[in-house]
Amino acid sequence: MRKALVAGLTGVLLTTTAAAAAATPARLGLPAPTGPYAVGTTDLHLVDHARQDPWVAGTTRELMVTVRYPARPGSGPKAPYLTPGAAKVVSEEDAAQLGISADRLDYTFPTHARTGAPAAGGRRPVVLYSPSAKYPRSVGTAQLEQLTSEGYVTVAIDHTHESAAVEFPGGRVERRVLPPGTDGKLLIATRVADTRFVLDELKSLKLPAGLSLDLTRIGMFGHSAGGFTTGETMVSDPRIEAGADLDGSMAYSQSARDFGRVANEGLDRPFLLLSAGDHSAASDGSWQEFLSHQRGPVREYRLPDGEHFSYTDYQALLPQLGLDPAAIAPFIGTVDAGQSVCTQRTQLGAFFAQYLR
């Protein structure tokens, strides 16, 4: 049976029946980006002084974002996949669901981006990223590094107190605090507000010398609830010129046909729908509704042998754990991991190249 986050809101986690493996850390890594640029990275702490945090009473809304940018090669230390405080929480959560020891998951492994690397310079288009419900911004790293290597500045957003853990400067870790029965509409509305705040902040971000953002060319994509967030943000904010939904429904409830505005109204700008397994417009009522109202260009592509989490870094990471392939197939399918990552990069790269470059 296909394991999916229906509307990105049910929070299905990686669950397997695999026996606990020996507590030997797996050597994890992501496919290298293939574009002409090296990748630089910096993490930024953003504070929305005009907004209260909806999940923790009496606090101001704070976000962490990772900005990746085209860089000159070979300078600066490689950035970790997750910072130590966040890595500990996320690895414990994933390991519990996988039935393995948390010691098997070292999420501080080095990525291909270098912290503080000198920028390649130039005026660059921007692509925002929103992760799936309850997951950290790191889960789109392979896709984001690739787009950055092709010449984009990418901005990955963590939705604080929804993600398992967000680490702020000084080592402060804010964990998930969503109450049971959280209203899906409030969750998506919070994500949209987070995204629009980041859009506001783009004009004043502290960027490496020689790098500037072309704010007339902004795209966005996300996985699952992040794809839904992308569409809902585009309905209310014309600054995003092109968007992509990676296997995310656009419904709060499929059975009640309670769809988001993006499904009910469509968009007048380009949109890409990527799906996997048995999910597609043929099976998703909210996508059918969206397509019936969509006025801008639209593309669709399905990974028939993939699954919901094929559109995250789990596609590359889970096979490296040495678990029974049958146990992880419900989450990443039976598609060859290298082929899957390559196909996704090709689809996203071609889409944003056409509409942002």
Side-chain angles (χ1 to χ4, degrees), residues 15-273:
T15 56
T16 77
T17 58
T24 302
R27 297 187 62 179
L28 300 176
L30 294 175
T34 62
Y37 295 99
V39 179
T41 185
T42 184
D43 288 339
L44 298 178
H45 176 201
L46 306 180
V47 182
D48 187 351
H49 295 285
R51 186 163 54 115
Q52 294 292 299
D53 191 296
W55 312 120
V56 179
T59 64
T60 301
R61 187 64 172 167
E62 298 178 82
L63 302 175
M64 288 297 298
V65 301
T66 295
V67 178
R68 296 178 176 89
Y69 54 89
R72 297 199 295 270
S75 179
K78 288 188 174 182
Y81 185 67
L82 280 167
T83 53
K88 181 177 185 298
V89 177
V90 175
S91 64
E92 288 174 352
E93 183 170 286
D94 282 0
Q97 300 301 324
L98 287 164
I100 62 176
S101 168
D103 293 338
R104 290 274 291 147
L105 299 176
D106 180 5
Y107 284 154
T108 62
F109 66 85
T111 64
H112 301 282
R114 294 185 181 273
T115 302
R123 188 169 174 80
R124 305 289 180 179
V126 182
V127 176
L128 306 184
Y129 174 77
S130 177
S132 34
K134 303 184 179 180
Y135 283 82
R137 67 189 189 275
S138 60
V139 296
T141 296
Q143 294 159 335
L144 291 163
E145 287 187 339
Q146 177 64 26
L147 286 170
T148 305
S149 78
E150 294 175 3
Y152 302 90
V153 171
T154 63
V155 183
I157 305 168
D158 245 332
H159 301 288
T160 312
H161 299 129
E162 177 196 328
S163 172
V166 181
E167 186 164 359
F168 287 88
R172 172 170 60 99
V173 176
E174 295 291 334
R175 301 187 62 163
R176 182 188 302 125
V177 294
L178 293 182
T182 294
D183 178 20
K185 293 184 178 180
L186 176 59
L187 186 145
I188 293 295
T190 299
R191 286 167 152 260
V192 170
D194 289 346
T195 305
R196 300 190 70 181
F197 170 63
V198 172
L199 285 167
D200 293 340
E201 293 293 294
L202 288 178
K203 59 184 178 292
S204 57
L205 291 181
K206 294 181 179 179
L207 299 172
L211 180 66
S212 64
L213 308 181
D214 185 347
L215 300 184
T216 67
R217 296 185 293 163
I218 300 175
M220 182 174 176
F221 75 105
H223 172 250
S224 197
F228 193 3
T229 301
T230 298
E232 291 296 279
T233 304
M234 290 180 70
V235 170
S236 56
D237 201 313
R239 288 175 289 183
I240 301 174
E241 292 290 327
D245 179 349
L246 280 55
D247 212 43
S249 178
M250 299 173 175
Y252 300 106
S253 169
Q254 291 278 15
S255 60
R257 295 187 64 82
D258 186 3
F259 301 149
R261 285 185 62 196
V262 65
N264 291 327
E265 300 175 25
L267 299 165
D268 59 2
R269 282 151 286 158
F271 207 75
L272 171 66
L273 295 170

Side-chain angles (χ1 to χ4, degrees), residues 262-268 288-296:
V262 65
N264 291 327
E265 300 175 25
L267 299 165
D268 59 2
Q288 294 166 18
E289 191 73 9
F290 167 73
L291 291 172
S292 72
H293 293 102
Q294 173 67 356
R295 303 175 302 285

